Amino acid sequence: MIRTVGIVSLSSGILGESFIRFESDIGIRRLKEYGLNVKFMPHALMGMDYIKAHPEKRAEDLLQAFRDPEIDMIMCAIGGDDTYRLLPYLFDHNELADAVNDKVFLGFSDTTINHLMLHKVGLNTFYGQAFLPDICELSPKMHPYTRKYFEELISTGTIKAITPSDVWYEERKSFAPDQVGKPLTAHADHGFELLQGSPVFSGKILGGCIDSMYDFFNGERYEDMPIVCEKYHLFPDAEDWQGHILLLESSEEKPSPEKYRQSLEYLKERGVFETVSGVLAGKPMDETYAQEYRQLLIQVINKPDLPVVFNLNIGHAMPRCIIPFGIEAVVDVEGQIIKFTD
């Protein structure tokens, strides 16, 4: 049972900007309606410029959240693009390993990097939702599918199974105050798609945003990111992927097919597809490049026996489930369910 949620800004500091306060108020109210106490960590509301300039303060907030005995769940405010800069402040003197304990950690997008940091120190985490994109959703209520998994997590501390959503929503074009209470345009969805391989397979899920994985190996966004990530040995070795299922989902930047291909090539070069037991791919936002992504997964992986499942409601496309990392999962595409066993 979750009682207190600690909110951290580990990437973007947008949560601290005055123009987004009305969204934050919606989220705080919803969390309190669940009976949850809400703690914003000391620097989480300092704003974009401060957060950008002070990765050491972001790291302090994460460590403090783990050390705070009142906090049961650490939730990321939102993603961003430079959380890799926390690495020296979390690993140079084993700071993260010394602070970490068995708390729920929830986030997605650039938070992929934080998930891999926590995987490195042995903590199982939860991928798929965050405070601003989900709890603060401007629709009259949280999306029902999103809400279902959030409620399960805060009431039980885990997720037992996920099934597909019946609908998907178009991306919101504006986040202005006049959008409060306006629902998103919905479309019928069609469930998990088996692109190749066995419809039933198992393993511990790990992965995240394919854009973030691209940045692990390509320095066009931040020249030093591949160097820093390699220094701290953040991306798991091929043998570390043994017994795992790779999760991939794409960001709101809607990566071009060429960038998606290159991302898959990077993963292939690292031997990931030679060792994982399967691949799960999220629905792209607005289904942009969905057909191209399907084809690229088959072409680049080039391993017909490896199960590849497409169209999961995870990551940037709404609505979003929550996927536990590091817990044994059984994927059953024919049954349209993924079950998790502690």
Side-chain angles (χ1 to χ4, degrees), residues 78 94 131 148 165 169 173 199 249 266 325:
I78 197 169
N94 296 317
F131 180 64
K148 168 188 172 183
S165 173
Y169 302 103
K173 301 301 188 289
E249 57 91 9
Y266 285 138
F325 283 172

Side-chain angles (χ1 to χ4, degrees), residues 68-301:
D68 188 331
E70 292 185 355
I71 292 176
D72 308 299
M73 173 178 173
I74 302 170
M75 184 190 302
C76 292
I78 197 169
D81 65 9
D82 74 340
T83 197
Y84 78 95
R85 295 173 61 210
L86 277 61
L87 278 162
Y89 309 103
L90 297 175
F91 285 92
D92 275 356
H93 302 287
N94 296 317
E95 294 92 340
L96 186 59
D98 290 343
V100 78
N101 49 59
D102 192 23
K103 295 185 179 184
V104 171
F105 178 89
L106 178 65
F108 74 104
S109 192
D110 187 45
T111 306
T112 297
I113 310 300
N114 305 119
H115 283 283
L116 290 175
M117 292 175 184
L118 291 165
H119 170 74
K120 187 174 173 67
V121 297
L123 182 70
N124 295 334
T125 56
F126 295 85
Y127 191 91
Q129 296 181 14
F131 180 64
L132 274 172
D134 296 290
I135 314 304
C136 304
E137 163 58 37
L138 300 183
S139 296
K141 296 181 179 180
M142 288 174 64
H143 301 312
Y145 181 85
T146 300
R147 186 173 69 242
K148 168 188 172 183
Y149 292 101
F150 182 72
E151 290 176 351
E152 181 181 356
L153 184 61
I154 62 172
S155 61
T156 70
T158 192
I159 301 291
K160 288 297 185 184
I162 62 169
T163 54
S165 173
D166 293 333
V167 299
W168 63 273
Y169 302 103
E170 292 183 14
E171 179 185 7
R172 190 177 290 280
K173 301 301 188 289
S174 169
F175 291 86
D178 64 5
Q179 297 299 301
V180 174
K182 293 187 177 180
L184 291 172
T185 302
H187 301 270
D189 211 342
H190 53 272
F192 304 153
E193 302 173 31
L194 183 66
L195 301 186
Q196 64 175 40
S198 171
V200 179
F201 56 98
S202 62
K204 296 178 179 181
I205 300 175
L206 184 64
C209 182
I210 194 168
D211 308 61
S212 298
M213 295 188 198
Y214 177 87
D215 293 338
F216 261 106
F217 308 110
N218 188 297
E220 67 183 38
R221 190 190 302 269
Y222 291 107
E223 187 176 353
D224 68 330
M225 183 169 170
I227 299 167
V228 173
C229 290
E230 188 64 32
K231 175 183 176 180
Y232 291 95
H233 201 69
L234 188 59
F235 194 82
D237 289 333
E239 55 268 25
D240 295 332
W241 286 100
Q242 194 75 41
H244 282 88
I245 297 169
L246 173 65
L247 173 68
L248 300 173
E249 57 91 9
S250 51
S251 81
E252 78 284 356
E253 294 179 359
K254 300 176 181 177
S256 68
E258 183 49 43
K259 184 172 181 178
Y260 198 87
R261 173 190 289 277
Q262 184 62 67
S263 303
L264 294 173
E265 293 284 4
Y266 285 138
L267 295 170
K268 187 174 184 176
E269 289 168 9
R270 293 297 291 253
V272 174
F273 299 125
E274 291 301 317
T275 51
V276 293
S277 58
V279 177
L280 303 174
K283 173 186 281 295
M285 289 184 76
D286 296 331
E287 295 200 326
T288 304
Y289 300 129
Q291 187 54 34
E292 289 90 340
Y293 293 173
R294 289 183 185 96
Q295 293 171 351
L296 287 167
L297 284 161
I298 294 169
Q299 291 171 2
V300 176
I301 293 173

